[in-house]
Amino acid sequence: MTAPTALVTGASSGLGLAFARRLAADGNDLVIVARDVARLDRVAEELRTAYGRQVEVLPADLQDREQLQRVADRVADRERPVDLLVNNAGFGLGHGVVDGPLADQERQLDVLVRAVLVLSYAAAGPMRDRGYGAIVNISSVSGFVVMGSYSAAKAWVTTFSEGLANELGPHGVQVTAVCPGFVHTQFHQRAHMRMTHVPRLGWLDADDVVDAALGDVRRRRVVSIPSARFKAVVAVTRLLPRGVVRRVTGGFARSRAQG
């Protein structure tokens, strides 16, 4: 029997790298996707050496539609099936909607929303026809609050995943939206966000997030919120009047932007 294959986007660092390492350790072959070819090659060599898995390198910038389509074609390839798709690629912006170029917002939506839609669509048909498979879409606790276009995009990811789960669940395909809070990665640094005001208890370890996410996939949970403290945050936001949520989280979003 051949090993199952997982495709992970944004696999060269952060949460995507943690997923790739964990999936390789669990016996999966990998297709890893990111923009940086040199970093992808280093990750591939690490995974081959450490875990003895087959690793395919697929460089792509998911905001570029032609490059995204190449990844979608790989996901949809019925001769080389992808058993698990992890839509992880993404980035934040260190400014509000009107404080930077519109092009920044469009690039973010291309990666956070359009790429998730295109790759999930590419995976869904073959997985449904085979009667098995899983799609993991990395969303965020911010999708339950109000932090500009990033929150809006992540709210879309969660709702889209829930709808897709309704479609594919009866056919044996699991869809899970993973909604972590703050994770120790380079995400915030790259977005030039000031995060020193977030207490230590507010942060999660990437490996712990991956453990919780894959555990929830096995338990067939559609929405995965790693850690009890962020489950509590989400529960509170659902109970509070929306105006209160806007005031509290909108002020937090402004405070973390630099400049």
Side-chain angles (χ1 to χ4, degrees), residues 182-183 185-193 195 203 256:
F182 303 116
V183 184
T185 66
Q186 296 177 325
F187 176 89
H188 299 96
Q189 180 182 356
R190 289 176 175 173
H192 305 292
M193 295 176 184
M195 304 302 295
W203 291 94
R256 72 181 187 176

Side-chain angles (χ1 to χ4, degrees), residues 26-48:
D26 286 349
N28 294 270
D29 290 335
L30 271 297
V31 182
I32 54 175
V33 180
R35 294 180 299 170
D36 191 320
V37 179
R39 293 179 69 175
L40 273 183
D41 286 339
R42 288 195 294 270
V43 171
E45 186 59 29
E46 173 197 331
L47 298 177
R48 294 174 187 131

